[in-house]
Amino acid sequence: MKYWTDIKDKLNNNIELASQLLLLVLGAYIFIMAEKYSVWKVAVLFIGLFSWLFFRNKTKHPILWIVLFALLILDLSLLYLRVANHHFMLTLMMLSILLYTYHKRNDILFKNIQILLVVVVMASAFQKLMSSQFMSGDFYYYMFNRGALFGVFLKLFPESFMVAKTNVQSIITLQTIDPNLGESIVLKDIMPNLRSISLIFTWTTLIVEFMVAITVLWKPKSTWTHLLFATMIIGIICTRLEMGFMVLLAICGLLLCDNLKLRLLYVLIAIGCIALIVTKIGYH
């Protein structure tokens, strides 16, 4: 019981806990991106670390947060067309926390994270809605047949797993052929009725994303909202190991949620995602 009391005390201060998790994410992400434009980053890190070592107790400015934010902005400026989508979300979350260190108003931080989350999820849903390839089910059909979805569970079904491996090999072979020759391949279905399953999966994804965006906007503290949101995150993790995006969503959920048990669930999701990112099992 003492352990649960300690955990509850920590969960009650969700902003501090979310900030610590975000720092871990930033550390892992910046380390992964360190080799790109490393000369510029050496200068930022050198000045930042020097300032942090000698002046962190003599200034009100959060030097560590400023340095990490500067590294994100540097990547965003120099690699704008190549950074992952969640890089933009990470930068805006970082900005919200950085501003919070100055104004110290929980309501402003809450509203910033709420609006950011709604915009991100709603934009994702609208992007899918406007894609004819996605709405037709072709995207999921192709991903299923490559074994790119539910890859962890697919290994439990050897026949389907072998079909997926064969499809991937056929795609790799096709990519080596001169496109002017007009060659094509037909992928084998890894399971019966895959076309219908892909279409159902498409509409389920779209409906869930719209529901999450609307409920977060309408009732951001509701237990039902966070049950739906957490279910969506876990569902995406089971489908594909998009850890970078999922850990940010979990941290947003932690900042918006009032239920201690759901806060703990978000923390466990975030820790799991960070572990998978660091070990490079999941996508960063």
Side-chain angles (χ1 to χ4, degrees), residues 134-160:
F134 185 87
M135 295 307 299
S136 66
D138 287 346
F139 173 76
Y140 277 142
Y141 180 77
Y142 174 72
M143 295 294 279
F144 270 123
N145 276 327
R146 286 180 56 225
L149 301 179
F150 299 104
V152 176
F153 304 102
L154 191 63
K155 294 178 182 179
L156 300 175
F157 304 93
E159 291 184 7
S160 297

Side-chain angles (χ1 to χ4, degrees), residues 12 19 133 166 184 201 210 219:
N12 280 323
S19 299
Q133 185 183 47
T166 302
S184 63
F201 202 65
F210 272 120
K219 290 191 175 183

Side-chain angles (χ1 to χ4, degrees), residues 138-260:
D138 287 346
F139 173 76
Y140 277 142
Y141 180 77
Y142 174 72
M143 295 294 279
F144 270 123
N145 276 327
R146 286 180 56 225
L149 301 179
F150 299 104
V152 176
F153 304 102
L154 191 63
K155 294 178 182 179
L156 300 175
F157 304 93
E159 291 184 7
S160 297
F161 182 67
M162 289 307 298
V163 171
K165 285 186 67 175
T166 302
N167 286 336
V168 170
Q169 189 58 50
S170 298
I171 293 169
I172 293 172
T173 302
L174 182 65
Q175 290 172 342
T176 62
I177 299 174
D178 186 347
N180 294 318
L181 298 177
E183 296 287 338
S184 63
I185 59 172
V186 177
L187 299 181
K188 298 178 181 178
D189 289 356
I190 63 170
M191 66 180 77
N193 304 314
L194 187 58
R195 280 286 182 187
S196 300
I197 292 171
S198 299
L199 198 57
I200 292 170
F201 202 65
T202 294
W203 280 99
T204 301
T205 301
L206 196 65
I207 291 169
V208 169
E209 287 191 355
F210 272 120
M211 286 177 63
V212 167
I214 292 168
T215 53
V216 170
L217 180 62
W218 184 34
K219 290 191 175 183
K221 294 185 178 182
S222 169
T223 298
W224 290 106
T225 295
H226 288 281
L227 283 172
L228 178 62
F229 185 40
T231 300
M232 185 190 80
I233 295 173
I234 294 170
I236 294 172
I237 291 173
C238 291
T239 305
R240 185 170 167 83
L241 298 177
E242 295 286 355
M243 297 297 106
F245 205 4
M246 294 307 103
V247 67
L248 297 183
L249 293 183
I251 293 173
C252 285
L254 175 61
L255 287 167
L256 298 179
C257 184
D258 281 341
N259 186 294
L260 291 185

Side-chain angles (χ1 to χ4, degrees), residues 10 19 27 49 62-63 67 95 100 102 112 118-119 144 154 182 204 217 226 233 236 249 282:
K10 194 70 175 178
S19 299
L49 291 173
I63 295 174
V67 171
L95 179 60
Y100 174 77
Y102 290 100
N112 285 341
V118 169
V119 170
F144 270 123
L154 191 63
T204 301
L217 180 62
H226 288 281
I233 295 173
I236 294 172
L249 293 183

Side-chain angles (χ1 to χ4, degrees), residues 1 45 68 72 87 111 126 135 189 229 240 251 265:
M1 291 300 293
L45 284 169
L68 294 174
L72 287 177
H87 186 104
K111 186 58 66 174
F126 272 112
M135 295 307 299
D189 289 356
F229 185 40
R240 185 170 167 83
I251 293 173
L265 176 60

Side-chain angles (χ1 to χ4, degrees), residues 1-12:
M1 291 300 293
K2 181 182 181 298
Y3 293 113
W4 174 238
T5 302
D6 293 339
I7 291 171
K8 283 199 297 183
D9 290 341
K10 194 70 175 178
L11 291 172
N12 280 323

Side-chain angles (χ1 to χ4, degrees), residues 44-143:
V44 173
L45 284 169
F46 184 88
I47 296 171
L49 291 173
F50 181 87
S51 302
W52 182 77
L53 285 170
F54 291 102
F55 305 118
R56 68 178 183 274
N57 296 324
K58 298 181 180 181
T59 178
K60 65 177 182 179
H61 301 295
I63 295 174
L64 184 60
W65 287 102
I66 292 172
V67 171
L68 294 174
F69 184 68
L71 290 172
L72 287 177
I73 293 296
L74 187 64
D75 275 331
L76 196 60
S77 302
L78 300 175
L79 298 165
Y80 182 80
L81 298 176
R82 287 181 284 169
V83 293
N85 288 338
H86 58 265
H87 186 104
F88 296 90
M89 185 177 181
L90 179 59
T91 303
L92 292 173
M93 287 179 67
M94 182 71 178
L95 179 60
S96 296
I97 295 291
L98 183 59
L99 292 175
Y100 174 77
T101 62
Y102 290 100
H103 60 66
K104 297 295 183 181
R105 288 185 56 181
N106 293 5
D107 58 326
I108 294 177
L109 177 61
F110 182 92
K111 186 58 66 174
N112 285 341
I113 296 300
Q114 179 195 13
I115 297 303
L116 173 61
L117 183 56
V118 169
V119 170
V120 167
V121 178
M122 189 68 78
S124 174
F126 272 112
Q127 184 182 32
K128 291 178 175 65
L129 187 62
M130 292 185 292
S131 170
S132 58
Q133 185 183 47
F134 185 87
M135 295 307 299
S136 66
D138 287 346
F139 173 76
Y140 277 142
Y141 180 77
Y142 174 72
M143 295 294 279

